[in-house]
Amino acid sequence: RDDAHGGDSNGDGGGTTPDNGNWAHVRIMNTGAATIEYCQFWYGGFRHPGEHQMLWIDNAAAQITVRNCEFHRAYSRALRYSVNTYGIDAAIIENVFANCNDGILIDGNALATATVLNNTMSSCGGTAIYIDGNGSTEVTVSNNTMTACSGTAIHVDDAASSSLIIDNTIQNSGTAIEIQGCSPLIQDNTLTSNSGYPFRQVGQAYPSYSGNVLTGNALKVISVQGTITANTTWQNVQGLNMPFLVTGDISVNNGVTLTIQPGVVVKFQYTSDGYQTRRMLVYGTLAAEGTSGSPIVFTSERDDAHGGDSNGDGGGTTPNNGNWAHIRIMNTGAATIEYCQFWYGGYRHPGEH
């Protein structure tokens, strides 16, 4: 149906037009090999059950680098690179992704390294770059440009602590950088006019931040949620005074310490569902030691007086009693709580007020 490439192949004189998902995929199997350079992929990526990727490198026995290619109008995901047996390296370099719901997925329990370099991505509705490693996977996401990716621009999960997310440009998108279960270096990225969270940390995620430039983003917070399984410190990242926003329950495991440094503001996302108001459950240790001049503040995301306009509504909402639930020190927990302020919390069903 794509008359723009190769002419009117179905002989209907333009009576039909191509659309996302008109065909399935090119799939490189575990015995296969490929060289993929200067190729264009259009209108594919749909096949039941769940095989919705246009180019699928499926546990190939040798490294395949995808370079200088273009991916347009995928039904769901443009490219999936899975590594489950052979311990190889995945490399996606200098490609263009446009109008695909999801851009790149790299995953697999035998993934040695994942390199995503110098790609240009636009109008991805889901996740532009998603890398799911195995705990020791060395990840490098560098010099990519993402524009109008309304979901999440970069998601990295379970990567080695030496991994790098550096020198990327993310603009007019949703959530910019989301980290789950790992602690990479996030450095020298430019985040401009994004509508979602500039940074999001899920579970045991404690990245290092340096030299990132944030301009005109709607939400000036670091989103946090999930279970903390190793000693973690919440601090004033890059001196930007961005609050940590609890967007789902935080649990601190037994034997683990969460340290919150003086002057840090911790906000809790508002929900009208009294059974889901946000909370922190401490089974390990909470070290919240502010100072008289730099107290630690726990408050509602609607509280613009502490930490600024964190929900990006320009003062359109005001905080109120019970906007969030509580910090709860459990029977295995311990805490040091000094020079802290608590505002607008204390409400959760059933009866945890």
Side-chain angles (χ1 to χ4, degrees):
R1 293 181 167 186
D2 180 5
D3 297 353
H5 300 95
D8 181 14
S9 304
N10 60 355
D12 69 350
T16 55
T17 55
D19 202 1
N20 303 19
N22 278 173
W23 56 282
H25 47 249
V26 176
R27 183 175 181 180
I28 316 301
M29 310 298 285
N30 60 351
T31 58
T35 302
I36 303 173
E37 295 187 9
Y38 292 102
C39 299
Q40 294 186 12
F41 298 81
W42 291 77
Y43 303 114
F46 178 76
R47 183 181 173 96
H48 289 309
E51 298 181 358
H52 303 324
Q53 36 264 334
M54 197 153 54
L55 173 59
W56 188 359
I57 301 170
D58 190 7
N59 203 28
Q63 179 178 351
I64 297 171
T65 298
V66 181
R67 186 190 298 268
N68 292 312
C69 294
E70 295 185 21
F71 298 83
H72 300 269
R73 301 285 302 275
Y75 173 79
S76 179
R77 183 175 295 111
L79 167 61
R80 182 174 184 179
Y81 201 135
S82 297
V83 183
N84 290 306
T85 303
Y86 298 103
I88 65 172
D89 306 322
I92 314 296
I93 301 172
E94 296 177 342
N95 303 283
V96 173
F97 298 81
N99 297 296
C100 302
N101 189 52
D102 295 300
I104 300 166
L105 169 62
I106 304 175
D107 65 341
N109 55 27
L111 182 62
T113 70
T115 301
V116 180
L117 179 66
N118 291 336
N119 299 280
T120 300
M121 317 186 83
S122 61
S123 300
C124 293
T127 303
I129 299 171
Y130 193 117
I131 301 175
D132 186 3
N134 57 26
S136 60
T137 304
E138 298 279 349
V139 171
T140 301
V141 180
S142 179
N143 284 291
N144 302 284
T145 298
M146 283 143 282
T147 303
C149 294
S150 59
T152 299
I154 299 172
H155 175 101
V156 175
D157 186 358
D158 213 12
S161 59
S162 54
S163 296
L164 304 173
I165 302 173
I166 58 174
D167 294 313
N168 300 284
T169 298
I170 303 170
Q171 54 198 4
N172 301 114
S173 295
T175 292
I177 300 174
E178 180 174 271
I179 305 300
Q180 182 168 351
C182 56
S183 302
L185 173 63
I186 300 175
Q187 180 174 290
D188 295 337
N189 300 283
T190 300
L191 315 181
T192 305
S193 300
N194 298 297
S195 62
Y197 304 115
F199 304 117
R200 182 172 172 85
Q201 300 175 189
V202 180
Q204 185 47 47
Y206 182 40
S208 299
Y209 298 95
S210 174
N212 300 287
V213 178
L214 284 67
T215 306
N217 299 291
L219 304 178
K220 300 173 178 63
V221 297
I222 298 173
S223 167
V224 289
Q225 69 176 71
T227 301
I228 297 174
T229 59
N231 293 343
T232 297
T233 299
W234 291 353
Q235 58 190 326
N236 184 1
V237 169
Q238 292 187 199
L240 296 173
N241 297 311
M242 287 194 299
F244 287 83
L245 176 65
V246 177
T247 52
D249 284 357
I250 290 285
S251 292
V252 181
N253 270 6
N254 191 9
V256 171
T257 298
L258 171 62
T259 300
I260 303 175
Q261 291 192 344
V264 167
V265 176
V266 179
K267 294 192 174 185
F268 293 79
Q269 185 182 50
Y270 171 77
T271 174
S272 60
D273 183 349
Y275 291 91
Q276 298 295 324
T277 50
R278 307 308 187 203
R279 60 185 178 173
M280 179 185 294
L281 305 176
V282 180
Y283 298 89
T285 300
L286 173 64
E289 298 181 67
T291 67
S292 59
S294 295
I296 297 167
V297 177
F298 299 93
T299 189
S300 165
E301 72 168 334
R302 294 182 164 187
D303 180 5
D304 296 353
H306 300 97
D309 180 15
S310 302
N311 60 357
D313 69 350
T317 53
T318 55
N320 205 351
N321 303 14
N323 278 176
W324 57 282
H326 48 249
I327 297 170
R328 184 173 179 180
I329 314 303
M330 310 301 285
N331 61 349
T332 59
T336 303
I337 302 172
E338 298 184 6
Y339 291 103
C340 296
Q341 297 181 12
F342 297 82
W343 294 77
Y344 303 114
Y347 179 74
R348 184 176 173 104
H349 288 311
E352 299 182 359
H353 303 324

